[in-house]
Amino acid sequence: MAGRGGVVNNTATGVTTWDGVVPPECQPKPSILRLSANLTWVEAREPLHGDIDYNKTNGIGPGMPFANAVLGKDPKFGVVGLVPCAIGGTNISQWQKGEFLYEQLVKRARVAVKSGVYRAMLWFQGESDTVNKQDADFYKGRLERFFHDLRSDLQTPMLPIFQVALASGSGPFIEEVREAQLKLNRSIPKVECVDAKGLPLEADGLHLTTPAQVKLGQMLAASFLHSLCNNASSSHPTSPTYSFISNDYGGR
């Protein structure tokens, strides 16, 4: 979710840089806010996770194109508050209840809801869990437990979750993790899967390109809006709407 679109690695120096290109679909709007690292609301702009995933070089991710697509399709939707929590290169075991990343995520989410309502979580993670078979084998159970614990701690037992099935991975067990992701909605209600397989990758063969990130954000928005249409209780809120975005995107 942190996004590496437009991030280029200089093989000679090992230094990664972002090309700074922000597509029209990712442009800022006054009605798209983000919760900053210091827990204040600011106008959202790329790179969305710049002060969150600060140990890595951030570029374009799916968060801004998601928000822009939602408002483009439904101008009456309201203010969208994005709550970035992604840390690239992390395993699902690092997002279990009691772990630092999980507790930070819950803390930020609880601050955000003081200003609005939760509408969804977008989750894109798993590349690092493809490295060894044990992580891949335990992935489904750990992801289920994470979703259950998060809904419980946020007191939103039916929080819609839109997760991305991997387009790539850091190891040989990509299909094992993908299978777990694609089947999760059978065991947990209101979990939808958006498949990133086939979207173009950067030269590193791992991260999505900028156009692919834009496409993924639009796919997530389409799934999100479709779920609202199918939900009898999806009338427009009277308070600002906050779409809660969280997770790891990177895988290395």
Side-chain angles (χ1 to χ4, degrees), residues 21 51 78 91 104 179 212 223 239 252:
V21 177
D51 61 348
N91 291 66
Q104 283 292 104
E179 182 179 3
S223 185
S239 58
R252 64 172 183 179

Side-chain angles (χ1 to χ4, degrees), residues 2 5 8 39 66 87 95 113 158 160 164 195 203 234 236:
V8 179
L39 304 178
F66 165 81
I87 302 295
W95 295 91
V113 82
M158 298 302 286
V164 179
D195 197 347
S234 63
H236 296 299

Side-chain angles (χ1 to χ4, degrees), residues 4 26 30 41 63 69 83 90 99 108 140 167:
R4 306 291 184 246
C26 302
W41 290 107
V83 186
T90 52
E99 296 292 333
R108 289 175 57 75
K140 185 173 183 290

Side-chain angles (χ1 to χ4, degrees), residues 3-239:
R4 306 291 184 246
V7 173
V8 179
N9 180 46
N10 186 320
T11 54
T13 64
V15 175
T16 57
T17 56
W18 176 44
D19 62 16
V21 177
V22 180
E25 299 89 347
C26 302
Q27 293 295 324
K29 284 188 173 73
S31 54
I32 304 177
L33 305 179
R34 68 181 290 273
L35 192 69
S36 69
N38 64 4
L39 304 178
T40 58
W41 290 107
V42 297
E43 187 174 88
R45 56 184 64 243
E46 299 285 14
L48 193 65
H49 282 75
D51 61 348
I52 303 296
D53 193 21
Y54 54 83
N55 286 322
K56 290 185 171 62
T57 303
N58 294 275
I60 301 297
M64 287 298 289
F66 165 81
N68 273 294
V70 168
L71 293 178
K73 293 288 186 180
D74 188 356
K76 297 180 180 179
F77 187 81
V79 175
V80 177
L82 305 176
V83 186
C85 301
I87 302 295
T90 52
N91 291 66
I92 190 62
S93 60
Q94 295 174 262
W95 295 91
Q96 300 299 291
K97 184 178 176 69
E99 296 292 333
F100 175 79
L101 295 180
Y102 178 91
E103 299 304 327
Q104 283 292 104
L105 185 159
V106 170
K107 175 184 176 180
R108 289 175 57 75
R110 286 173 174 166
V111 170
V113 82
K114 294 177 182 178
S115 306
V117 295
Y118 300 130
R119 299 306 298 271
M121 181 176 78
L122 309 185
W123 181 257
F124 189 178
Q125 182 275 337
E127 289 91 343
S128 296
D129 289 283
T130 68
V131 174
N132 69 70
K133 192 173 188 305
Q134 185 177 51
D135 283 338
D137 289 343
F138 285 124
Y139 187 81
K140 185 173 183 290
R142 288 170 174 169
L143 188 61
E144 286 178 333
R145 185 162 56 250
F146 165 65
F147 287 163
H148 283 305
D149 286 341
L150 186 64
R151 282 173 165 175
S152 176
D153 284 341
L154 299 185
Q155 299 181 326
T156 53
M158 298 302 286
L159 175 71
I161 296 173
F162 299 87
Q163 65 151 347
V164 179
L166 296 181
S168 61
S170 302
F173 301 105
I174 299 172
E175 290 307 315
E176 287 82 352
V177 173
R178 277 180 48 81
E179 182 179 3
Q181 294 169 332
L182 291 166
K183 291 182 176 179
L184 200 67
N185 64 340
R186 299 179 188 175
S187 56
I188 304 181
K190 296 186 77 66
V191 173
E192 301 292 334
C193 190
V194 173
D195 197 347
K197 189 173 185 177
L199 292 178
L201 302 174
E202 296 282 9
D204 61 9
L206 182 62
H207 300 104
L208 297 179
T209 64
T210 291
Q213 296 280 8
V214 170
K215 177 64 176 176
L216 179 60
Q218 293 170 338
M219 291 164 64
L220 286 164
S223 185
F224 171 71
L225 292 171
H226 183 262
S227 75
L228 291 186
C229 292
N230 291 337
N231 189 339
S233 62
S234 63
S235 58
H236 296 299
T238 55
S239 58

